[in-house]
Amino acid sequence: MFLAARSPSVTVVIDRDDDAIHTHTALAAHHPSSGRITLHPGPGTTSETGLAHDLLAALGKPPLLPGRFPAGRQPAWEAAAAWMTALPVTRLTVLRAHRLTARRTMRLLQLSAITGTHLTLVCHRPHFPAALHQVLRTVDYSVTADFDAARRHYYGTPVTEPPPADEPAGPAGPWLTLPALDRLVSYDSPRPCADPCTPPPIIWRHRPPPVPLTAPTAQQVAHRLHAATAHPRLAAALAAALFTAASLQQLATARPRDYDTAVATLALHDRARYTDGCAAYPVPPWASVFLRAAVCFTRLVSGEDQELLAAPGDRAHLLRVAETARLRPPQPPAARRRGPVGRVEWDWRERQEAEQYEAVPTSRVRPSRR
């Protein structure tokens, strides 16, 4: 799982008497938007994947990642590392650390090293258990039994007043109809550039640019995407579709190097010029967290030469995530619907254009020149 290991910053809090004030204070400090995560591992499991799912849930994500993965292993730890890096999370507090196995504790140390997060392990007993002692021999760490010192680790220094709690992730609410999603399932087929390519800024020649989301709508979209999936590529692909109005095939041409954080642009490729050619699109601030997570996730899982965003084979999963977030393109009038009421019709625009083309008299169609 390593990208580049950093020396983890680790503190062990000794809660000798299992005092409820430690648990309550640590849980009160949990606030992902402020960079603080408190993980309360679920009882009755010793699996590493189960701990990763607990961590994704603490980050406000559904614990399961859709799709197939090599050897059947969900990259749940890589997804957690990607979201923690992108948000960014600066402090991770883990309660009931004395119950962790050596392998689970090692996973947390690796996560701390990757993300640069300060890790606080709360041991609710007077002494280290053997598993925790064994793993901590491999790193530098500090120990405290003082409650005020522990609180500073839960909150960071200086200790700030607890902000309002994040809204719990619930039903996404009514549908958001977004014209930028009209082309998501378009049948164009651009391919990634084989040679290094530095595209110029997008010039909208053949289609109108998508209308930028208003601040309230952007905030609502971001909240829904965060709650709809733990998969960074799927979330980033939907975010990118909203500011590029690109098809899934064109979104799949992006590689990690195509996201330029310095100038906040995302390059998409189209050498055959199905649309506007290879071009760099400005990334709005609300979408940057999703692209940062996708870059980190792709590098951890696959490397530099794999898709940054969803691949064409992820189409069904991508549309399911969009529908979970209640995001859809404009829908056809009731008289032109082909599916049952309530089902999203993603290819209505494509069908409409095909019908208009078929309706053109053959005398008006110019023969192709070869």
Side-chain angles (χ1 to χ4, degrees):
M1 192 175 72
F2 278 105
L3 277 180
R6 285 175 269 181
S7 297
S9 178
V10 181
T11 299
V12 179
V13 172
I14 299 297
D15 174 17
R16 298 179 183 277
D17 301 315
D18 195 5
D19 195 329
I21 193 172
H22 275 280
T23 300
H24 292 165
T25 303
L27 290 174
H30 176 80
H31 196 258
S33 299
S34 300
R36 300 190 303 269
I37 298 293
T38 300
L39 174 61
H40 200 172
T45 176
T46 59
S47 74
E48 297 171 57
T49 302
L51 185 61
H53 288 167
D54 288 342
L55 181 54
L56 288 171
L59 288 162
K61 310 291 180 187
L64 298 179
L65 275 70
R68 295 182 178 181
F69 304 100
R73 185 188 71 84
Q74 280 196 5
W77 283 101
E78 289 84 352
W83 289 116
M84 288 176 64
T85 300
L87 282 172
V89 172
T90 57
R91 311 195 78 81
L92 172 62
T93 299
V94 182
L95 296 168
R96 304 291 155 191
H98 60 277
R99 293 180 178 175
L100 296 175
T101 62
R103 292 182 64 85
R104 290 176 122 201
T105 307
M106 183 58 72
R107 278 288 195 175
L108 291 170
L109 293 176
Q110 291 175 348
L111 185 71
S112 174
I114 290 172
T115 61
T117 303
H118 180 91
L119 176 63
T120 300
L121 302 171
V122 186
C123 183
H124 304 270
R125 58 170 54 180
H127 307 289
F128 290 5
L132 185 59
H133 179 72
Q134 173 189 350
V135 175
L136 289 177
R137 291 172 60 184
T138 65
V139 297
D140 292 329
Y141 64 94
S142 60
V143 181
T144 184
D146 179 74
F147 172 73
D148 290 332
R151 186 170 187 268
R152 286 194 292 272
H153 287 296
Y154 303 153
Y155 279 94
T157 304
V159 174
T160 57
E161 289 299 317
D166 287 327
E167 294 183 9
W175 286 101
L176 285 179
T177 299
L178 303 167
L181 296 177
D182 255 338
R183 296 188 62 252
L184 186 62
V185 297
S186 176
Y187 304 124
D188 59 16
S189 55
R191 297 180 179 180
C193 293
D195 300 322
C197 176
T198 306
I202 177 67
I203 300 176
W204 303 91
R205 296 188 179 93
H206 306 297
R207 55 195 173 105
V211 177
L213 302 182
T214 63
T217 301
Q219 184 178 19
Q220 194 173 10
V221 165
H223 179 76
R224 292 185 181 198
L225 288 180
H226 275 298
T229 184
H231 201 308
R233 284 178 177 165
L234 297 180
L238 284 172
L242 293 176
F243 65 81
T244 64
S247 67
L248 173 57
Q249 284 87 343
Q250 190 173 17
L251 292 172
T253 65
R255 299 294 182 263
R257 58 181 174 272
D258 289 317
Y259 176 46
D260 190 331
T261 57
V263 294
T265 59
L266 174 68
L268 300 179
H269 302 275
D270 180 19
R271 295 291 290 273
R273 303 189 69 82
Y274 283 93
T275 53
D276 293 294
C278 299
Y281 298 77
V283 177
W286 69 266
S288 61
V289 64
F290 299 104
L291 290 174
R292 291 198 303 269
V295 168
C296 183
F297 180 77
T298 301
R299 288 173 174 164
L300 286 169
V301 173
S302 310
E304 288 284 348
D305 295 326
Q306 296 298 314
E307 291 91 350
L308 170 63
L309 308 173
D314 296 322
R315 170 173 161 158
H317 297 300
L318 183 69
L319 299 187
R320 192 172 299 117
V321 169
E323 292 177 18
T324 300
R326 308 280 284 179
L327 307 177
R328 67 180 182 184
Q331 295 296 286
R336 302 198 60 182
R337 292 192 64 87
R338 290 191 177 181
V341 175
R343 191 179 77 180
V344 177
E345 296 196 21
W346 288 93
D347 62 347
W348 176 62
R349 187 193 67 83
E350 291 287 316
R351 296 200 320 264
Q352 185 182 41
E353 290 184 357
E355 291 168 1
Q356 291 173 348
Y357 181 80
E358 291 172 358
V360 175
T362 55
S363 59
R364 294 179 58 188
V365 178
R366 297 183 180 180
S368 60
R369 295 181 180 180
R370 294 181 180 268

